[in-house]
Amino acid sequence: MIYRRLFKRRGDGDPSPVGAAVAGGRDPALSRAFRRAQRDGLALAVWARVAVMAAVCLWLSLQFWRMEVLWTVGLCIVFAASGLLQWRLVFRHPERRWVLFAFAVVDVLIVTAATVVPNPLLETAPPWPLMLKLGSFVFFFLLVAITGLLTSPALTLWTGAWVALVWLAATEWIATTEGAFRLRDLENRPTFNSPEAYEIYTDLFFVDVVQSRQSAVAILIFAGIVAAIVARARGLVEREARAASQRTMLARYFSPNVVDEIARSGGTMSQARALDAAVLFVDVRGFTTIADRQSPEETIALLRDLHKLIADAVFAEQGTLDKFMGDGAMALFGAPKPASDDARSALRAARRLLAAVTDWNTARSEDGREPIGIGIGIHYGPIVTGNAGADRRLDFTAIGTTVNLADRLERLTRKIDTDLVVSEATCERIRETGGTAEIAELETLAPHAVKGLTQPVPIRILPRP
């Protein structure tokens, strides 16, 4: 799987959000879904069985009503009752998978009785060997095919094996009935395609063991084919469901087009990779004070609203949401997929977020709630991406001086009293990629000292209205 290569599991596993989404193994939710599908398939098969048996009974009663028909009607009722009983047991006790296998044997025995046992209500019952020649074996193929609705390859193979076993056993037993004979019972065996052979093969009491064995082999092959089809269908469904789940999880961190690129490229994200990207930090001003004046429920609701605004702005510009950090967040533009306009995308995302927060504050003011102020810092430069953390807690992230500087610029918004601080390196990259107009309204300030760096950093800010 592509996603399994993207996020390689290590040690005992990776329980991080992304790692959990892409880890291999059987998904319990998917297993439960297959069990539900199996019950739905059983219900479909059972009620179809009941409907068909009811139609057969009605047709026989109206068209051929005689006392002898009671035998066929009785078998139909028993076959329908078998289906209803197993459906009831499986519905009440879904964990008892053996019920399906046990009733598969019961169904095979019922169909065998309907196929090879002469109607005892007939005045002149046909000889037992004749029952093997009436072509009723085709009903076993239908029985095996129906098990495919239960999405269980093992059950299909089990049913086919029992059909072959019971049919061969019935053939051998019928060969011992009065008047029956097999080819090997003859002292003088006729040559193939001779008049004598034709006479033997058309004899009502002749039991063709070879033909029965061929039928048994055919049903085994058919059961194997149906089981393979079911197994392949399950595999495809599992892979598609897992891929959809993984894409959904990845979409929490990456914009949809980046997710598509990850799926197509098959690249690895667990390995460290150096690249140039824009890093954006955003944080709420005075969040502790705001939280102290609110209930826990109101604080969580505020964070959810804010996180949604951040995610929408980042994803709208094809950015990667690296992480939420309480009342703030870190986003990347150019990781894992670099582009020439990553710096411009970061600036557009910042402006989009500021506009969204302005609208949000208008709605909050109308509801009597205090407005929220945010600060954003952006820097463009080299970063290193990869999975960081312990074996049992890995996260895709970025590290490096560029990340640290973007964080410092966001903190600088409080000191300068502005909403957005952009490094001159970011503006230079925007200018190189044709975005001169996008930075025209940014105000250039004198280089500011930043903690951790020896040289002051040239910056620009977005003046407030």
Side-chain angles (χ1 to χ4, degrees), residues 167-246:
W167 184 257
L168 291 176
T171 300
E172 292 297 328
W173 182 80
I174 290 175
T176 63
T177 58
E178 183 179 359
F181 67 96
R182 293 163 292 187
L183 197 60
R184 69 187 184 201
D185 296 332
L186 302 177
E187 295 182 359
N188 298 319
R189 299 181 184 179
T191 60
F192 179 74
N193 205 27
S194 64
E196 293 80 5
Y198 178 79
E199 182 178 352
I200 291 174
Y201 278 98
T202 56
D203 193 299
L204 296 182
F205 289 88
F206 173 68
V207 178
D208 193 345
V209 177
V210 174
Q211 181 65 38
S212 293
R213 292 173 180 172
Q214 290 177 349
S215 298
V217 172
I219 200 68
L220 288 175
I221 295 174
F222 180 75
I225 293 174
V226 174
I229 293 174
V230 172
R232 177 172 173 78
R234 284 178 63 104
L236 290 174
V237 170
E238 288 179 359
R239 287 193 290 272
E240 289 300 320
R242 190 175 293 113
S245 175
Q246 292 160 358

Coordinates of all heavy atoms in Angstrom, one line a residue, residues 167-246:
W167 N -22.4 -36.2 -2.0 CA -22.8 -36.7 -3.3 C -22.0 -38.1 -3.6 O -22.7 -39.0 -4.1 CB -22.5 -35.7 -4.4 CG -22.9 -36.2 -5.8 CD1 -22.2 -36.6 -6.8 CD2 -24.3 -36.2 -6.2 NE1 -23.0 -36.9 -7.9 CE2 -24.3 -36.7 -7.6 CE3 -25.5 -35.8 -5.7 CZ2 -25.4 -36.8 -8.3 CZ3 -26.7 -36.0 -6.4 CH2 -26.6 -36.5 -7.7
L168 N -20.8 -38.1 -3.3 CA -20.0 -39.4 -3.5 C -20.6 -40.5 -2.6 O -20.7 -41.6 -3.0 CB -18.5 -39.1 -3.3 CG -17.8 -38.3 -4.3 CD1 -16.4 -38.1 -4.0 CD2 -17.9 -38.9 -5.7
A169 N -20.8 -40.1 -1.3 CA -21.3 -41.1 -0.4 C -22.7 -41.6 -0.8 O -23.0 -42.8 -0.7 CB -21.4 -40.4 1.0
A170 N -23.6 -40.7 -1.3 CA -24.9 -41.1 -1.8 C -24.8 -42.0 -3.0 O -25.5 -43.0 -3.1 CB -25.7 -39.8 -2.1
T171 N -23.8 -41.7 -3.9 CA -23.6 -42.5 -5.1 C -23.2 -43.9 -4.7 O -23.7 -44.9 -5.2 CB -22.6 -41.9 -6.0 OG1 -23.0 -40.6 -6.4 CG2 -22.3 -42.8 -7.2
E172 N -22.3 -44.0 -3.7 CA -21.8 -45.3 -3.3 C -22.9 -46.1 -2.6 O -23.0 -47.3 -2.7 CB -20.6 -45.2 -2.3 CG -19.3 -44.6 -3.0 CD -18.8 -45.6 -4.1 OE1 -19.0 -46.8 -3.9 OE2 -18.2 -45.1 -5.1
W173 N -23.7 -45.4 -1.8 CA -24.8 -46.1 -1.1 C -25.9 -46.6 -2.1 O -26.4 -47.7 -2.0 CB -25.4 -45.1 -0.1 CG -26.5 -45.8 0.7 CD1 -26.4 -46.7 1.8 CD2 -27.9 -45.7 0.5 NE1 -27.6 -47.1 2.2 CE2 -28.6 -46.5 1.4 CE3 -28.7 -45.0 -0.5 CZ2 -29.9 -46.7 1.5 CZ3 -30.1 -45.1 -0.4 CH2 -30.7 -46.0 0.5
I174 N -26.2 -45.7 -3.1 CA -27.2 -46.1 -4.0 C -26.7 -47.3 -4.8 O -27.5 -48.2 -5.3 CB -27.5 -44.9 -5.0 CG1 -28.3 -43.9 -4.2 CG2 -28.3 -45.4 -6.2 CD1 -28.6 -42.6 -5.0
A175 N -25.4 -47.4 -5.0 CA -24.9 -48.5 -5.8 C -25.1 -49.8 -5.1 O -25.0 -50.9 -5.7 CB -23.4 -48.3 -6.1
T176 N -25.4 -49.8 -3.8 CA -25.6 -51.0 -3.0 C -27.1 -51.4 -2.9 O -27.4 -52.4 -2.3 CB -25.0 -50.8 -1.6 OG1 -25.7 -49.8 -0.9 CG2 -23.5 -50.5 -1.6
T177 N -28.0 -50.5 -3.4 CA -29.4 -50.8 -3.3 C -29.8 -52.0 -4.3 O -29.0 -52.4 -5.2 CB -30.2 -49.6 -3.7 OG1 -29.9 -49.2 -5.0 CG2 -30.0 -48.5 -2.7
E178 N -31.0 -52.5 -4.0 CA -31.4 -53.7 -4.8 C -31.5 -53.4 -6.3 O -32.1 -52.4 -6.7 CB -32.7 -54.1 -4.3 CG -33.3 -55.4 -4.9 CD -34.6 -55.9 -4.4 OE1 -35.1 -55.2 -3.5 OE2 -35.1 -56.9 -4.9
G179 N -30.8 -54.2 -7.1 CA -30.9 -54.1 -8.5 C -29.8 -53.2 -9.1 O -29.6 -53.2 -10.3
A180 N -29.2 -52.3 -8.3 CA -28.2 -51.4 -8.8 C -26.9 -52.1 -9.1 O -26.6 -53.1 -8.4 CB -28.0 -50.3 -7.8
F181 N -26.2 -51.6 -10.1 CA -24.9 -52.2 -10.4 C -24.0 -51.1 -11.0 O -24.4 -50.1 -11.5 CB -25.0 -53.3 -11.4 CG -25.5 -52.9 -12.7 CD1 -24.6 -52.7 -13.8 CD2 -26.8 -52.8 -13.0 CE1 -25.0 -52.3 -15.0 CE2 -27.3 -52.4 -14.3 CZ -26.3 -52.1 -15.3
R182 N -22.7 -51.3 -10.8 CA -21.7 -50.4 -11.3 C -20.9 -51.1 -12.4 O -21.0 -52.3 -12.6 CB -20.7 -50.0 -10.2 CG -21.4 -49.1 -9.2 CD -20.5 -49.0 -7.9 NE -20.5 -50.3 -7.2 CZ -20.0 -50.5 -6.0 NH1 -19.4 -49.5 -5.4 NH2 -20.0 -51.7 -5.4
L183 N -20.1 -50.4 -13.1 CA -19.4 -51.0 -14.2 C -18.4 -52.0 -13.7 O -18.2 -53.0 -14.3 CB -18.6 -49.9 -15.0 CG -18.1 -50.2 -16.4 CD1 -19.3 -50.7 -17.3 CD2 -17.3 -49.1 -17.0
R184 N -17.8 -51.7 -12.6 CA -16.8 -52.7 -12.0 C -17.5 -53.9 -11.5 O -16.8 -54.9 -11.2 CB -16.0 -52.0 -10.9 CG -16.8 -51.7 -9.7 CD -16.0 -50.9 -8.7 NE -16.7 -50.7 -7.4 CZ -16.4 -49.7 -6.6 NH1 -15.4 -48.9 -6.9 NH2 -17.0 -49.6 -5.5
D185 N -18.8 -53.9 -11.3 CA -19.5 -55.1 -10.9 C -19.7 -56.1 -12.0 O -20.1 -57.3 -11.7 CB -20.9 -54.7 -10.3 CG -20.7 -53.9 -9.0 OD1 -19.7 -54.0 -8.3 OD2 -21.7 -53.0 -8.8
L186 N -19.5 -55.7 -13.2 CA -19.7 -56.6 -14.3 C -18.5 -57.5 -14.5 O -17.4 -57.1 -14.4 CB -20.0 -55.9 -15.6 CG -21.2 -54.9 -15.6 CD1 -21.3 -54.1 -16.9 CD2 -22.5 -55.7 -15.3
E187 N -18.7 -58.8 -14.9 CA -17.6 -59.7 -15.1 C -17.0 -59.4 -16.5 O -15.8 -59.4 -16.6 CB -18.1 -61.2 -15.1 CG -18.6 -61.6 -13.8 CD -19.1 -63.1 -13.8 OE1 -19.0 -63.7 -14.9 OE2 -19.5 -63.6 -12.7
N188 N -17.8 -59.1 -17.5 CA -17.3 -58.8 -18.8 C -17.7 -57.3 -19.1 O -18.8 -57.0 -19.4 CB -17.9 -59.7 -19.9 CG -17.5 -61.1 -19.6 OD1 -16.4 -61.4 -19.3 ND2 -18.5 -62.0 -19.8
R189 N -16.7 -56.5 -19.0 CA -16.9 -55.0 -19.2 C -16.9 -54.8 -20.7 O -16.0 -55.2 -21.4 CB -15.8 -54.2 -18.6 CG -15.8 -54.4 -17.0 CD -14.8 -53.5 -16.4 NE -14.7 -53.7 -15.0 CZ -13.8 -53.1 -14.2 NH1 -13.0 -52.1 -14.7 NH2 -13.8 -53.3 -12.9
P190 N -17.9 -54.1 -21.3 CA -17.9 -53.8 -22.7 C -16.9 -52.7 -23.1 O -16.5 -52.0 -22.2 CB -19.4 -53.3 -22.9 CG -19.7 -52.7 -21.6 CD -19.1 -53.5 -20.6
T191 N -16.5 -52.7 -24.3 CA -15.6 -51.7 -24.8 C -16.3 -50.4 -24.9 O -17.6 -50.3 -25.1 CB -15.0 -52.1 -26.1 OG1 -16.0 -52.3 -27.1 CG2 -14.2 -53.4 -26.0
F192 N -15.6 -49.3 -24.9 CA -16.2 -48.0 -24.9 C -16.8 -47.7 -26.3 O -16.3 -48.2 -27.3 CB -15.1 -46.9 -24.7 CG -15.6 -45.5 -24.8 CD1 -16.4 -45.0 -23.8 CD2 -15.4 -44.7 -25.9 CE1 -16.9 -43.7 -23.8 CE2 -15.9 -43.4 -26.0 CZ -16.6 -42.9 -25.0
N193 N -18.0 -47.1 -26.3 CA -18.7 -46.8 -27.5 C -19.2 -48.0 -28.3 O -19.5 -47.9 -29.5 CB -17.9 -45.9 -28.4 CG -18.7 -45.0 -29.4 OD1 -19.8 -44.7 -29.0 ND2 -18.2 -44.7 -30.5
S194 N -19.4 -49.1 -27.6 CA -20.0 -50.3 -28.2 C -21.5 -50.3 -27.9 O -21.9 -49.7 -27.0 CB -19.3 -51.5 -27.7 OG -19.5 -51.7 -26.3
P195 N -22.2 -51.1 -28.7 CA -23.7 -51.3 -28.4 C -23.9 -51.8 -27.0 O -24.9 -51.4 -26.4 CB -24.1 -52.2 -29.5 CG -23.2 -52.1 -30.6 CD -21.8 -51.8 -30.0
E196 N -23.1 -52.7 -26.6 CA -23.2 -53.2 -25.2 C -23.1 -52.1 -24.2 O -23.8 -52.0 -23.2 CB -22.3 -54.3 -25.0 CG -22.5 -55.6 -25.8 CD -21.9 -55.5 -27.2 OE1 -21.3 -54.4 -27.5 OE2 -22.1 -56.4 -28.0
A197 N -22.1 -51.2 -24.4 CA -21.8 -50.1 -23.5 C -23.0 -49.2 -23.4 O -23.4 -48.7 -22.4 CB -20.5 -49.4 -23.8
Y198 N -23.5 -48.9 -24.6 CA -24.7 -48.0 -24.7 C -25.9 -48.6 -23.9 O -26.6 -47.9 -23.2 CB -25.1 -47.8 -26.2 CG -26.3 -46.9 -26.3 CD1 -26.2 -45.5 -26.2 CD2 -27.5 -47.5 -26.6 CE1 -27.3 -44.7 -26.4 CE2 -28.7 -46.7 -26.8 CZ -28.6 -45.3 -26.6 OH -29.7 -44.5 -26.8
E199 N -26.1 -49.9 -24.1 CA -27.2 -50.5 -23.4 C -27.0 -50.5 -21.9 O -28.0 -50.2 -21.1 CB -27.3 -52.0 -23.8 CG -28.4 -52.8 -23.2 CD -28.5 -54.2 -23.7 OE1 -27.7 -54.5 -24.6 OE2 -29.3 -54.9 -23.2
I200 N -25.7 -50.6 -21.4 CA -25.5 -50.5 -20.0 C -25.7 -49.1 -19.4 O -26.4 -48.9 -18.4 CB -24.0 -51.0 -19.7 CG1 -23.9 -52.5 -19.9 CG2 -23.6 -50.7 -18.2 CD1 -22.5 -53.0 -19.8
Y201 N -25.2 -48.1 -20.2 CA -25.3 -46.8 -19.7 C -26.7 -46.2 -19.7 O -27.1 -45.3 -18.9 CB -24.4 -45.8 -20.5 CG -23.0 -45.8 -20.1 CD1 -22.0 -46.6 -20.8 CD2 -22.5 -45.1 -19.0 CE1 -20.7 -46.6 -20.4 CE2 -21.2 -45.1 -18.6 CZ -20.3 -45.9 -19.3 OH -19.0 -45.9 -18.9
T202 N -27.6 -46.8 -20.5 CA -29.0 -46.4 -20.5 C -29.9 -47.2 -19.6 O -31.1 -47.0 -19.5 CB -29.6 -46.5 -21.9 OG1 -29.4 -47.8 -22.4 CG2 -28.9 -45.5 -22.8
D203 N -29.3 -48.2 -18.9 CA -30.0 -49.0 -18.0 C -30.4 -48.2 -16.7 O -29.6 -47.5 -16.2 CB -29.1 -50.2 -17.5 CG -30.0 -51.3 -16.8 OD1 -30.6 -50.9 -15.7 OD2 -30.0 -52.4 -17.3
L204 N -31.7 -48.3 -16.3 CA -32.2 -47.5 -15.2 C -31.5 -47.8 -13.9 O -31.5 -47.0 -13.0 CB -33.7 -47.7 -15.1 CG -34.6 -47.3 -16.2 CD1 -36.1 -47.6 -15.9 CD2 -34.4 -45.8 -16.6
F205 N -30.9 -49.0 -13.8 CA -30.3 -49.4 -12.5 C -28.8 -49.2 -12.5 O -28.1 -49.6 -11.5 CB -30.6 -50.9 -12.2 CG -32.1 -51.1 -11.8 CD1 -33.0 -51.3 -12.8 CD2 -32.5 -51.0 -10.5 CE1 -34.4 -51.5 -12.5 CE2 -33.8 -51.2 -10.2 CZ -34.7 -51.4 -11.1
F206 N -28.3 -48.7 -13.6 CA -26.8 -48.5 -13.7 C -26.4 -47.2 -12.9 O -27.0 -46.2 -13.1 CB -26.4 -48.4 -15.1 CG -24.9 -48.0 -15.3 CD1 -23.9 -48.9 -14.9 CD2 -24.5 -46.8 -15.8 CE1 -22.6 -48.6 -15.0 CE2 -23.2 -46.5 -15.9 CZ -22.2 -47.4 -15.5
V207 N -25.4 -47.4 -12.1 CA -24.9 -46.3 -11.3 C -23.5 -45.9 -11.9 O -22.5 -46.6 -11.8 CB -24.7 -46.7 -9.8 CG1 -24.1 -45.5 -9.0 CG2 -26.0 -47.1 -9.2
D208 N -23.5 -44.7 -12.5 CA -22.2 -44.2 -13.1 C -21.4 -43.5 -12.1 O -21.5 -42.3 -11.8 CB -22.6 -43.2 -14.2 CG -21.4 -42.9 -15.1 OD1 -20.3 -43.2 -14.7 OD2 -21.6 -42.4 -16.2
V209 N -20.5 -44.3 -11.4 CA -19.6 -43.7 -10.4 C -18.7 -42.7 -11.0 O -18.4 -41.7 -10.3 CB -18.9 -44.9 -9.7 CG1 -17.9 -44.3 -8.7 CG2 -19.8 -45.9 -9.1
V210 N -18.2 -43.0 -12.2 CA -17.2 -42.0 -12.8 C -17.9 -40.7 -13.0 O -17.3 -39.6 -12.7 CB -16.7 -42.6 -14.1 CG1 -15.9 -41.5 -14.8 CG2 -16.0 -43.8 -13.9
Q211 N -19.1 -40.7 -13.5 CA -19.9 -39.4 -13.6 C -20.1 -38.7 -12.3 O -19.9 -37.5 -12.2 CB -21.2 -39.7 -14.3 CG -22.1 -38.4 -14.6 CD -21.4 -37.5 -15.6 OE1 -20.8 -38.0 -16.5 NE2 -21.5 -36.2 -15.3
S212 N -20.3 -39.4 -11.3 CA -20.5 -38.8 -9.9 C -19.2 -38.2 -9.5 O -19.2 -37.1 -8.9 CB -21.0 -39.8 -8.9 OG -22.3 -40.3 -9.3
R213 N -18.1 -38.9 -9.7 CA -16.8 -38.3 -9.3 C -16.5 -37.0 -10.1 O -16.0 -36.1 -9.6 CB -15.7 -39.3 -9.5 CG -15.8 -40.5 -8.5 CD -14.8 -41.6 -8.9 NE -15.0 -42.7 -7.9 CZ -14.3 -43.9 -8.1 NH1 -13.5 -44.0 -9.1 NH2 -14.5 -44.8 -7.2
Q214 N -16.9 -37.0 -11.4 CA -16.7 -35.8 -12.2 C -17.5 -34.7 -11.6 O -17.1 -33.5 -11.6 CB -17.0 -36.1 -13.6 CG -16.0 -37.0 -14.3 CD -16.4 -37.4 -15.7 OE1 -17.6 -37.1 -16.2 NE2 -15.5 -38.0 -16.5
S215 N -18.7 -35.0 -11.2 CA -19.6 -33.9 -10.7 C -19.0 -33.4 -9.4 O -19.0 -32.2 -9.1 CB -21.0 -34.5 -10.4 OG -21.6 -34.9 -11.6
A216 N -18.4 -34.3 -8.6 CA -17.8 -33.9 -7.3 C -16.6 -32.9 -7.6 O -16.5 -31.9 -6.9 CB -17.4 -35.1 -6.5
V217 N -15.8 -33.3 -8.5 CA -14.7 -32.5 -8.9 C -15.1 -31.1 -9.4 O -14.6 -30.1 -9.1 CB -13.8 -33.2 -9.9 CG1 -12.7 -32.3 -10.4 CG2 -13.1 -34.4 -9.3
A218 N -16.2 -31.2 -10.2 CA -16.7 -29.9 -10.8 C -17.2 -29.0 -9.7 O -17.0 -27.8 -9.8 CB -17.8 -30.2 -11.8
I219 N -17.9 -29.5 -8.7 CA -18.4 -28.7 -7.7 C -17.3 -28.1 -6.8 O -17.4 -27.0 -6.3 CB -19.5 -29.4 -6.8 CG1 -20.4 -28.4 -6.0 CG2 -18.8 -30.4 -5.8 CD1 -21.3 -27.6 -6.9
L220 N -16.2 -28.9 -6.6 CA -15.1 -28.4 -5.9 C -14.4 -27.3 -6.6 O -14.0 -26.2 -6.0 CB -14.1 -29.5 -5.6 CG -14.5 -30.6 -4.6 CD1 -13.5 -31.7 -4.5 CD2 -14.7 -30.0 -3.2
I221 N -14.3 -27.4 -7.9 CA -13.7 -26.4 -8.7 C -14.5 -25.1 -8.7 O -14.0 -24.0 -8.5 CB -13.4 -26.8 -10.2 CG1 -12.4 -28.0 -10.2 CG2 -13.0 -25.7 -11.1 CD1 -12.2 -28.6 -11.6
F222 N -15.8 -25.3 -8.8 CA -16.8 -24.2 -8.8 C -16.7 -23.5 -7.5 O -16.7 -22.2 -7.4 CB -18.2 -24.7 -9.1 CG -19.2 -23.6 -9.1 CD1 -19.3 -22.7 -10.2 CD2 -20.1 -23.5 -8.0 CE1 -20.3 -21.7 -10.2 CE2 -21.1 -22.5 -8.0 CZ -21.2 -21.6 -9.1
A223 N -16.7 -24.2 -6.4 CA -16.6 -23.6 -5.0 C -15.3 -22.8 -4.9 O -15.3 -21.8 -4.3 CB -16.7 -24.7 -4.0
G224 N -14.2 -23.4 -5.4 CA -12.9 -22.7 -5.4 C -13.0 -21.4 -6.1 O -12.4 -20.3 -5.7
I225 N -13.6 -21.4 -7.3 CA -13.8 -20.1 -8.1 C -14.6 -19.1 -7.4 O -14.2 -17.9 -7.3 CB -14.4 -20.5 -9.5 CG1 -13.4 -21.3 -10.3 CG2 -14.7 -19.2 -10.2 CD1 -14.0 -21.8 -11.6
V226 N -15.7 -19.5 -6.8 CA -16.6 -18.6 -6.1 C -15.8 -18.1 -4.9 O -15.9 -16.9 -4.6 CB -17.9 -19.3 -5.7 CG1 -18.7 -18.4 -4.8 CG2 -18.7 -19.7 -6.9
A227 N -15.1 -18.9 -4.1 CA -14.4 -18.5 -3.0 C -13.3 -17.5 -3.4 O -13.1 -16.5 -2.7 CB -13.8 -19.7 -2.3
A228 N -12.6 -17.8 -4.5 CA -11.6 -16.8 -5.0 C -12.2 -15.5 -5.3 O -11.6 -14.4 -5.0 CB -10.9 -17.4 -6.2
I229 N -13.4 -15.5 -6.0 CA -14.0 -14.2 -6.3 C -14.4 -13.5 -5.0 O -14.2 -12.2 -4.9 CB -15.3 -14.5 -7.2 CG1 -14.9 -15.1 -8.5 CG2 -16.1 -13.3 -7.3 CD1 -16.0 -15.5 -9.4
V230 N -15.0 -14.2 -4.1 CA -15.3 -13.5 -2.8 C -14.1 -13.0 -2.1 O -14.1 -11.9 -1.6 CB -16.1 -14.5 -1.9 CG1 -16.3 -13.9 -0.5 CG2 -17.4 -14.9 -2.5
A231 N -13.0 -13.8 -2.1 CA -11.8 -13.3 -1.4 C -11.2 -12.1 -2.1 O -10.8 -11.1 -1.4 CB -10.8 -14.4 -1.4
R232 N -11.3 -12.1 -3.4 CA -10.7 -11.0 -4.1 C -11.6 -9.7 -3.9 O -11.1 -8.6 -3.7 CB -10.7 -11.3 -5.6 CG -10.2 -10.1 -6.5 CD -10.0 -10.5 -7.9 NE -9.8 -9.4 -8.8 CZ -8.6 -8.7 -8.9 NH1 -7.6 -9.1 -8.1 NH2 -8.4 -7.7 -9.6
A233 N -12.9 -9.9 -3.9 CA -13.8 -8.8 -3.6 C -13.6 -8.2 -2.2 O -13.6 -7.0 -2.0 CB -15.3 -9.2 -3.8
R234 N -13.4 -9.1 -1.2 CA -13.1 -8.7 0.1 C -11.8 -7.9 0.2 O -11.7 -6.8 0.8 CB -13.1 -9.9 1.1 CG -14.4 -10.5 1.5 CD -14.2 -11.6 2.4 NE -13.5 -11.2 3.6 CZ -14.2 -11.1 4.8 NH1 -15.5 -11.3 4.8 NH2 -13.5 -10.7 5.9
G235 N -10.8 -8.4 -0.5 CA -9.5 -7.7 -0.6 C -9.6 -6.3 -1.2 O -9.1 -5.4 -0.6
L236 N -10.4 -6.2 -2.3 CA -10.6 -4.9 -2.9 C -11.3 -4.0 -2.0 O -10.9 -2.8 -1.9 CB -11.3 -5.1 -4.2 CG -10.6 -5.8 -5.4 CD1 -11.5 -6.0 -6.6 CD2 -9.3 -5.0 -5.8
V237 N -12.4 -4.5 -1.3 CA -13.1 -3.6 -0.4 C -12.3 -3.2 0.7 O -12.3 -2.0 1.1 CB -14.4 -4.4 0.1 CG1 -15.1 -3.6 1.2 CG2 -15.4 -4.6 -1.1
E238 N -11.5 -4.1 1.3 CA -10.6 -3.7 2.4 C -9.6 -2.7 2.0 O -9.4 -1.7 2.7 CB -9.9 -5.0 2.9 CG -10.8 -6.0 3.7 CD -10.0 -7.2 4.1 OE1 -8.8 -7.3 3.9 OE2 -10.6 -8.1 4.8
R239 N -9.0 -2.9 0.8 CA -8.0 -1.9 0.4 C -8.6 -0.6 0.1 O -8.0 0.5 0.5 CB -7.3 -2.4 -0.9 CG -6.3 -3.6 -0.6 CD -5.4 -3.8 -1.8 NE -6.1 -4.4 -2.9 CZ -6.3 -5.7 -3.1 NH1 -5.9 -6.6 -2.2 NH2 -7.0 -6.1 -4.2
E240 N -9.8 -0.6 -0.5 CA -10.4 0.7 -0.8 C -10.9 1.4 0.5 O -10.7 2.6 0.6 CB -11.6 0.5 -1.7 CG -11.2 0.1 -3.2 CD -10.4 1.2 -3.8 OE1 -10.7 2.4 -3.6 OE2 -9.4 0.9 -4.5
A241 N -11.4 0.6 1.4 CA -11.9 1.2 2.7 C -10.7 1.7 3.5 O -10.8 2.8 4.1 CB -12.6 0.2 3.5
R242 N -9.6 1.0 3.5 CA -8.4 1.4 4.2 C -7.8 2.7 3.6 O -7.4 3.6 4.3 CB -7.4 0.3 4.3 CG -6.2 0.6 5.2 CD -5.3 -0.6 5.4 NE -5.9 -1.7 6.0 CZ -6.2 -2.8 5.4 NH1 -5.9 -3.0 4.2 NH2 -6.8 -3.8 6.1
A243 N -7.8 2.7 2.3 CA -7.3 3.8 1.5 C -8.1 5.1 1.8 O -7.6 6.2 2.0 CB -7.2 3.6 0.0
A244 N -9.5 4.9 1.8 CA -10.4 6.0 2.1 C -10.2 6.5 3.5 O -10.1 7.7 3.7 CB -11.8 5.6 1.9
S245 N -10.0 5.6 4.4 CA -9.8 6.0 5.8 C -8.5 6.7 6.0 O -8.4 7.7 6.7 CB -9.8 4.8 6.7 OG -9.5 5.1 8.1
Q246 N -7.4 6.2 5.3 CA -6.1 6.9 5.4 C -6.2 8.2 4.7 O -5.6 9.2 5.2 CB -5.1 6.0 4.7 CG -4.9 4.7 5.4 CD -4.2 3.6 4.6 OE1 -4.0 3.8 3.4 NE2 -4.0 2.4 5.2

